[in-house]
Coordinates of all heavy atoms in Angstrom, one line a residue:
L171 N -39.6 29.8 65.0 CA -39.4 28.9 66.1 C -38.1 29.3 66.8 O -37.1 29.6 66.2 CB -39.4 27.5 65.9 CG -40.6 26.9 65.2 CD1 -40.5 25.5 64.9 CD2 -41.9 27.1 66.1
D172 N -38.1 29.4 68.2 CA -37.0 29.6 69.0 C -36.2 28.3 69.2 O -36.5 27.3 68.6 CB -37.3 30.3 70.3 CG -38.1 29.4 71.2 OD1 -38.3 28.3 71.0 OD2 -38.5 30.0 72.3
T173 N -35.1 28.3 69.9 CA -34.2 27.1 70.0 C -35.0 25.9 70.7 O -34.6 24.8 70.7 CB -33.0 27.5 70.9 OG1 -33.4 28.1 72.1 CG2 -32.2 28.5 70.1
D174 N -36.0 26.3 71.6 CA -36.8 25.3 72.2 C -38.0 24.8 71.4 O -39.0 24.2 71.9 CB -37.2 25.8 73.6 CG -36.2 26.0 74.5 OD1 -35.1 25.2 74.4 OD2 -36.2 26.8 75.3
N175 N -38.1 25.2 70.1 CA -39.3 25.0 69.2 C -40.5 25.6 69.6 O -41.6 25.0 69.3 CB -39.5 23.5 69.0 CG -38.4 22.9 68.1 OD1 -37.8 23.6 67.2 ND2 -38.0 21.7 68.2
N176 N -40.4 26.7 70.4 CA -41.7 27.5 70.6 C -41.9 28.6 69.6 O -40.8 29.1 69.2 CB -41.6 28.2 72.1 CG -41.5 27.0 73.2 OD1 -42.2 26.2 73.1 ND2 -40.6 27.3 74.2
P177 N -43.1 28.8 69.3 CA -43.3 30.0 68.2 C -42.9 31.3 68.7 O -43.1 31.6 69.8 CB -44.7 29.8 67.9 CG -45.3 29.1 69.1 CD -44.3 28.3 69.6
V178 N -42.4 32.1 67.8 CA -42.0 33.5 68.0 C -43.0 34.3 67.2 O -43.1 34.0 66.0 CB -40.5 33.9 67.8 CG1 -40.2 35.3 67.9 CG2 -39.6 32.9 68.6
Y179 N -43.6 35.4 67.9 CA -44.5 36.2 67.0 C -44.1 37.6 66.9 O -43.3 38.2 67.8 CB -45.9 36.2 67.6 CG -46.5 34.7 67.8 CD1 -46.3 34.0 69.0 CD2 -47.2 34.2 66.8 CE1 -46.9 32.7 69.1 CE2 -47.7 33.0 66.9 CZ -47.6 32.3 67.9 OH -48.1 31.0 68.1
N180 N -44.6 38.3 65.8 CA -44.5 39.7 65.8 C -45.9 40.2 66.2 O -46.9 39.9 65.6 CB -44.1 40.2 64.3 CG -42.7 39.9 63.9 OD1 -41.8 39.9 64.7 ND2 -42.6 39.5 62.6
N181 N -45.7 41.3 67.0 CA -47.0 41.8 67.5 C -47.3 43.1 66.6 O -46.4 43.8 66.2 CB -46.8 42.3 69.0 CG -46.7 41.2 69.9 OD1 -47.3 40.1 69.8 ND2 -45.9 41.4 70.9
A182 N -48.5 43.4 66.4 CA -49.0 44.5 65.6 C -50.2 45.2 66.2 O -51.1 44.6 66.6 CB -49.3 44.2 64.2
I183 N -50.1 46.5 66.2 CA -51.3 47.4 66.5 C -51.5 48.4 65.4 O -50.4 49.1 65.0 CB -51.2 48.1 67.9 CG1 -51.2 47.0 69.0 CG2 -52.4 49.0 68.1 CD1 -51.0 47.6 70.3
Y184 N -52.6 48.5 64.8 CA -52.9 49.4 63.7 C -54.0 50.3 64.0 O -55.2 49.7 64.4 CB -53.1 48.6 62.5 CG -53.2 49.3 61.2 CD1 -52.2 49.7 60.4 CD2 -54.5 49.7 60.7 CE1 -52.3 50.4 59.2 CE2 -54.7 50.3 59.6 CZ -53.6 50.7 58.9 OH -53.7 51.3 57.7
L185 N -54.0 51.6 63.9 CA -55.1 52.6 64.0 C -55.1 53.4 62.8 O -54.1 54.0 62.3 CB -54.8 53.4 65.3 CG -55.8 54.5 65.5 CD1 -57.2 54.0 65.8 CD2 -55.3 55.5 66.6
Q186 N -56.2 53.5 62.2 CA -56.5 54.2 61.0 C -57.5 55.1 61.1 O -58.7 54.8 61.5 CB -56.7 53.3 59.8 CG -57.0 54.0 58.5 CD -57.3 52.9 57.4 OE1 -57.7 51.9 57.6 NE2 -57.1 53.3 56.2
L187 N -57.3 56.4 60.8 CA -58.5 57.4 60.7 C -58.4 57.8 59.2 O -57.6 58.3 58.6 CB -58.1 58.6 61.5 CG -59.1 59.8 61.5 CD1 -60.4 59.5 62.1 CD2 -58.4 61.0 62.2
L188 N -59.8 57.8 58.7 CA -60.0 58.1 57.3 C -60.9 59.2 57.3 O -62.0 59.2 57.7 CB -60.6 56.9 56.5 CG -60.9 57.0 55.2 CD1 -59.6 57.2 54.3 CD2 -61.8 56.0 54.6
L189 N -60.5 60.3 56.6 CA -61.4 61.5 56.3 C -61.8 61.3 54.9 O -61.1 61.6 53.9 CB -60.6 62.8 56.6 CG -60.1 62.9 58.0 CD1 -59.2 64.2 58.1 CD2 -61.2 63.0 59.0
K190 N -63.1 61.1 54.7 CA -63.6 60.8 53.4 C -63.6 62.0 52.6 O -63.8 63.1 53.0 CB -65.0 60.2 53.5 CG -65.0 58.9 54.2 CD -66.4 58.3 54.3 CE -66.4 56.9 55.0 NZ -67.7 56.3 54.9
G191 N -63.4 61.8 51.2 CA -63.5 62.9 50.3 C -62.1 63.7 50.1 O -62.0 64.5 49.3
L192 N -61.0 63.3 50.7 CA -59.8 63.8 50.7 C -58.8 63.2 49.8 O -57.7 63.4 49.6 CB -59.2 64.1 52.1 CG -59.8 65.0 53.0 CD1 -59.1 65.1 54.3 CD2 -60.0 66.4 52.4
G193 N -59.2 62.0 49.2 CA -58.4 61.2 48.2 C -57.7 60.1 48.9 O -57.9 59.9 50.2
N194 N -57.0 59.2 48.2 CA -56.4 58.2 48.7 C -55.1 57.8 47.9 O -55.0 57.8 46.8 CB -57.4 56.9 48.5 CG -56.9 55.7 49.2 OD1 -56.0 55.7 49.9 ND2 -57.8 54.5 49.1
V195 N -54.1 57.8 48.8 CA -52.8 57.5 48.2 C -52.6 56.0 47.9 O -52.0 55.6 46.9 CB -51.6 58.1 49.0 CG1 -50.2 57.7 48.4 CG2 -51.7 59.7 49.1
A196 N -52.9 55.2 48.9 CA -52.8 53.7 48.8 C -54.1 53.1 49.1 O -55.0 53.8 49.4 CB -51.7 53.3 49.8
G197 N -54.2 51.7 49.1 CA -55.4 51.1 49.6 C -55.6 51.4 51.0 O -54.9 51.7 51.9
S198 N -56.9 51.5 51.3 CA -57.3 51.8 52.7 C -57.2 50.7 53.6 O -57.3 51.0 54.9 CB -58.8 52.5 52.7 OG -59.8 51.4 52.2
S199 N -57.0 49.5 53.2 CA -57.0 48.4 54.2 C -55.5 48.0 54.4 O -54.7 48.0 53.5 CB -57.7 47.2 53.8 OG -59.1 47.4 53.8
P200 N -55.1 47.8 55.7 CA -53.7 47.4 55.9 C -53.7 45.9 55.4 O -54.6 45.2 55.4 CB -53.6 47.5 57.5 CG -55.1 47.4 57.9 CD -55.9 48.1 56.8
A201 N -52.4 45.6 55.0 CA -52.2 44.3 54.4 C -52.5 43.3 55.4 O -53.0 42.2 54.9 CB -50.8 44.2 54.0
I202 N -52.3 43.4 56.6 CA -52.7 42.4 57.6 C -54.2 41.9 57.5 O -54.4 40.6 57.6 CB -52.3 42.7 59.0 CG1 -52.4 41.5 60.0 CG2 -53.2 43.9 59.5 CD1 -51.8 41.8 61.5
I203 N -55.1 42.8 57.3 CA -56.3 42.5 57.1 C -56.7 41.7 55.9 O -57.3 40.6 55.8 CB -57.3 43.7 57.2 CG1 -57.2 44.5 58.5 CG2 -58.9 43.3 56.9 CD1 -58.0 45.7 58.5

């Protein structure tokens, strides 16, 4: 909350391209989902 008690947010944009069959280092879903 800011000094006037209004909420403050973090904005996020996430773009994911997955080429199947090449393996996976981490989970395929972002944590926000």
Side-chain angles (χ1 to χ4, degrees):
L171 293 174
D172 64 12
T173 56
D174 295 326
N175 285 332
N176 295 317
V178 176
Y179 298 97
N180 290 324
N181 298 322
I183 296 176
Y184 183 87
L185 176 65
Q186 179 182 24
L187 175 64
L188 178 71
L189 302 174
K190 296 180 178 182
L192 295 180
N194 191 1
V195 175
S198 62
S199 288
I202 188 173
I203 297 174

